[in-house]
Amino acid sequence: MDSATFRKLGHQLIDWVADYRERLERLPVMSPVKPGEIRKLFAKEPPASGNGLADALLRLDESIVRGVTHWNHPSFFAYFPSNTSYASILADLVAAGLGAQGMSWQTSPAATEVEEVVMDWLRQMVGLPDGWTGVVHDTASTATLCALLCAREKSSGFSQNTSGLQGLGAPLVVYASQEAHSSIEKAALLAGFGKRNLRLIETDESHALRVDRLSQAIAEDEAAGRIPCALVATVGSTGTTSIDPVRAMLQVAHAHRMWLHVDAALAGTAMVLPECRRLWDGVVNADSLVFNPHKWMGVGVDYSAYYVRDPQHLVRVMSTNPSYLLTAQDGAVTNYRDWQIPLGRRFRAIKLWFYLLDAGVEGLQARIRRDLANAQWLRAQVDQAEGWQRMAPVPLQTVCLRHVPEALGGDEAALARHNLAIARRVNESGAAYLTPSLLKGRQMIRVSIGAEATEQRHVEAVWSALQDAARAETSGA
Ligand SMILES: Cc1ncc(COP(=O)(O)O)c(C=O)c1O
C-alpha cells in the first residue's frame, strides 16, 4: 500500500469509526450471531494475491459488526466497563503509526519516558505517595503473576537462581479471598505454588475476606511447617465489588513477613475521587498494586497499571540479561523489558497521555461520580421494589440483584432458573446486556454500570427491562 492509498483509506476508516460510535445506541448490545456464523463468511484459504483493503472496508459491517458485542454501548451492563474513548482510539493509531518497540530506553526513548511521566501522573491521581513506581502491563492477570513471582523470590531468598521452588524444604503458601478473581489462582498455579498451597479464605456478609479466618489458616500452615508467602487483597471484587480490609490484612502480612498485593483491577479508577480512598485505606504500605485503566477509565484495552514500592526487587526478579547486575536506581535510564515478563512492548503510554489531555482529571472525576450516583439510584429502586432482592452492598458501580417472586420463595433451584431466564430475555432482546452469576451458590444478576456513554436514562431503561422480563417470566409469556 502506498501512502496516498493509506491516507485515503485512513480518512474513510476514521469516518467509519465515528459513524459506528454514533449509531451504537441503535445496535443490539450483545452480538446475536450463532457459533461459526462469522467464520463462514470468510474464505477457507488465505488470499493468494493482495487486492488492497477496499473490500475489507465494505465488509466491515456485514462480517464484523454483527459479530461484535458492543462494550462501549450505553446499555452495556455486563462483566465490567471497558471504555475505549475517542482519544484512546486516536492514540492507538499514533502508536501503530510510529510502530515503536519500547523494550529498552534506547529502542524508543519517548516510549519509556512518556510511560514514566504518565504513570507518575496516574500515581498522583489515585493518591499513592511518592516512592511508588508504575509500569504498564497488558492485563491485571500478568501484573498479578509478576507480584506472586516477586513474593516467591522474596520468601525463598531468590531460589530462582538455584533450584527454584523444587529446592525448598517447605512449601510456600498464597492467601486470597473466596471472592478473588480467577487470575489470582491462575497466577499462583503458574508461579509454581501449586493448588494445595493456595488458600481461598471465607468472606463475611459483605463478601470481604474474614481476617479471623485468614489468621486461622496461617496458624494451621505454620504449625504444619508451611511458609506463608503472599496475601492478595481484592479491592472491588469481580462479583460484587466487595472490599477486603486492606489495613487489617497488612498487619497480618507484616506479622508473617508476607508480600501484600492489592488487586484493584476495576476499583482503582474510583480512587481518582478522594472520597473513595477510604475503600483502600492502608494501601500505601502494601508491596504491589494493580488496576486497569482499560476498565472503567477510558483507555482502551489493553492497559494495566502495575505499581510497586520496590522497583529494584521487580527488576531483579524479571531481568535475566546482562542488565541483571544493574539496579533500577543505578541505571541512568529505565529499561522496561526488565520490569515485565515479555521482552517486547508497545507504546501503550500514549493512550493514557491522550486520554488525560482530552478528559482531564476533573472530567474523569465527574464521570466516575455520575456512575456512582447511577448505581445508588438503582440500588434504591431495588430496595424499594416488591419481589426484588439486593444481594450485596453497593460500594461502587455494580448492583447485584435478583427477582424473588412469592411463588418461588425459598426454592433456590427454581429461583436460579427464573433469574437466568430474566437475564437471557433482556440480553437476547438486544436492549441491554447484563451478566448473571453465582454468589455463594445463589443465582443473581449483576448490573455493572460505567460505560462512558451510560446516562441515568439508560440505567432507568435497564431497570424497566428487568422488571418487564420478570413479569413476562412470572406469567409464562
Ligand atoms: C478484580 C479483578 N481482578 C483481575 C481481573 C482480570 O483483569 P485482566 O483481564 O486485566 O487480566 C478482573 C477482570 O474482570 C477483575 O475484575
Side-chain angles (χ1 to χ4, degrees):
M1 186 183 301
D2 57 27
S3 66
T5 312
F6 171 76
R7 196 182 293 276
K8 185 164 162 255
L9 288 176
H11 282 108
Q12 284 173 9
L13 265 177
I14 292 286
D15 280 340
W16 183 87
V17 173
D19 290 345
Y20 162 73
R21 289 293 177 116
E22 280 170 12
R23 70 190 164 98
L24 202 45
E25 192 161 352
R26 300 192 296 279
L27 298 175
V29 191
M30 184 181 79
S31 167
V33 305
K34 302 274 175 299
E37 208 177 308
I38 297 295
R39 200 166 49 231
K40 265 200 303 216
L41 301 173
F42 287 74
K44 284 214 166 67
E45 255 95 71
S49 55
N51 239 333
L53 286 184
D55 182 48
L57 245 58
L58 288 175
R59 288 185 48 194
L60 276 178
D61 285 311
E62 71 192 67
S63 311
I64 302 294
V65 174
R66 232 179 93 71
V68 168
T69 290
H70 305 291
W71 285 69
N72 288 273
H73 194 295
S75 295
F76 184 96
F77 299 105
Y79 308 102
F80 44 82
S82 182
N83 292 315
T84 304
S85 60
Y86 277 129
S88 175
I89 298 171
L90 293 176
D92 257 337
L93 183 62
V94 176
L98 293 170
Q101 243 279 18
M103 58 194 182
S104 310
W105 178 86
Q106 200 179 61
T107 62
S108 230
T112 297
E113 295 191 12
V114 173
E115 181 162 333
E116 288 175 316
V117 170
V118 295
M119 290 303 279
D120 197 62
W121 287 358
L122 196 60
R123 174 191 68 73
Q124 297 170 48
M125 283 167 60
V126 297
L128 287 176
D130 263 349
W132 280 82
T133 312
V135 51
V136 185
H137 281 228
D138 54 359
T139 58
S141 303
T142 306
T144 293
L145 174 57
C146 288
L148 292 193
L149 292 171
C150 287
R152 185 190 75 187
E153 292 311 297
K154 190 160 187 204
S155 288
S156 69
F158 279 88
S159 64
Q160 67 181 11
N161 295 331
T162 51
S163 306
L165 284 186
Q166 302 187 62
L168 296 189
L172 304 179
V173 187
V174 176
Y175 305 81
S177 99
Q178 280 172 346
E179 291 299 315
H181 187 260
S182 58
S183 58
I184 313 304
E185 174 168 353
K186 195 171 197 172
L189 302 190
L190 292 175
F193 289 91
K195 209 163 193 147
R196 275 198 206 146
N197 301 308
L198 171 66
R199 308 274 172 268
L200 295 180
I201 306 295
E202 202 183 312
T203 56
D204 63 17
E205 63 291 344
S206 75
H207 312 292
L209 179 140
R210 281 185 56 171
V211 176
D212 58 333
R213 290 284 199 262
L214 170 68
S215 299
Q216 210 176 321
I218 291 173
E220 284 167 18
D221 281 323
E222 286 181 335
R226 294 181 284 264
I227 302 171
C229 169
L231 174 57
V232 181
T234 304
V235 174
S237 64
T238 315
T240 67
T241 65
S242 58
I243 312 281
D244 284 349
V246 176
R247 185 175 287 281
M249 290 170 76
L250 255 172
Q251 275 171 8
V252 177
H254 286 166
H256 298 273
R257 300 160 60 85
M258 297 161 80
W259 185 280
L260 187 89
H261 173 61
V262 177
D263 175 8
L266 169 88
T269 294
M271 305 308 167
V272 299
L273 300 181
E275 65 267 31
C276 283
R277 290 185 199 148
R278 65 186 157 75
L279 296 175
W280 70 6
D281 175 46
V283 75
V284 296
N285 291 314
D287 294 288
S288 56
L289 152 75
V290 63
F291 84 93
N292 285 346
H294 74 216
K295 282 190 158 68
W296 194 3
M297 192 169 280
V299 179
V301 68
D302 49 8
Y303 195 113
S304 191
Y306 181 51
Y307 284 91
V308 292
R309 270 201 307 141
D310 181 0
Q312 279 193 53
H313 183 73
L314 177 63
V315 169
R316 203 170 155 202
V317 173
M318 292 290 149
S319 73
T320 50
N321 53 42
S323 71
Y324 170 72
L325 294 176
L326 291 178
T327 66
Q329 273 83 0
D330 287 344
V333 296
T334 303
N335 288 317
Y336 277 126
R337 64 165 187 268
D338 293 338
W339 294 54
Q340 60 171 24
I341 294 171
L343 171 64
R345 63 202 325 270
R346 302 193 289 124
F347 195 166
R348 289 194 186 87
I350 210 163
K351 284 195 287 193
L352 183 59
W353 180 43
F354 269 33
Y355 174 71
L356 291 176
L357 285 180
D358 187 52
V361 177
E362 287 168 8
L364 173 62
Q365 286 175 326
R367 180 162 61 75
I368 301 302
R369 286 197 178 103
R370 174 201 68 179
D371 296 342
L372 294 174
N374 282 340
Q376 289 307 321
W377 178 87
L378 180 58
R379 181 196 56 73
Q381 306 309 306
V382 176
D383 285 353
Q384 285 158 22
E386 213 171 301
W388 289 85
Q389 183 183 7
R390 181 161 54 81
M391 303 293 285
V394 184
L396 293 166
Q397 44 57 268
T398 301
V399 183
C400 299
L401 49 83
R402 67 175 182 171
H403 188 231
V404 279
E406 226 172 74
L408 304 183
D411 182 346
E412 281 300 328
L415 281 173
R417 283 193 299 277
H418 180 64
N419 280 280
L420 280 172
I422 292 171
R424 194 177 318 119
R425 198 178 266 267
V426 173
N427 289 347
E428 288 179 359
S429 77
Y433 185 31
L434 336 119
T435 324
S437 91
L438 285 174
L439 179 62
K440 294 187 176 137
R442 295 194 300 170
Q443 188 66 54
M444 62 168 186
I445 301 172
R446 292 168 68 259
V447 184
S448 174
I449 298 167
E452 214 180 9
T454 303
E455 301 288 347
Q456 183 171 328
R457 67 186 170 89
H458 301 105
V459 183
E460 288 169 7
V462 73
W463 175 228
S464 295
L466 277 164
Q467 290 175 299
D468 291 347
R471 265 191 295 275
E473 287 299 327
T474 311
S475 67

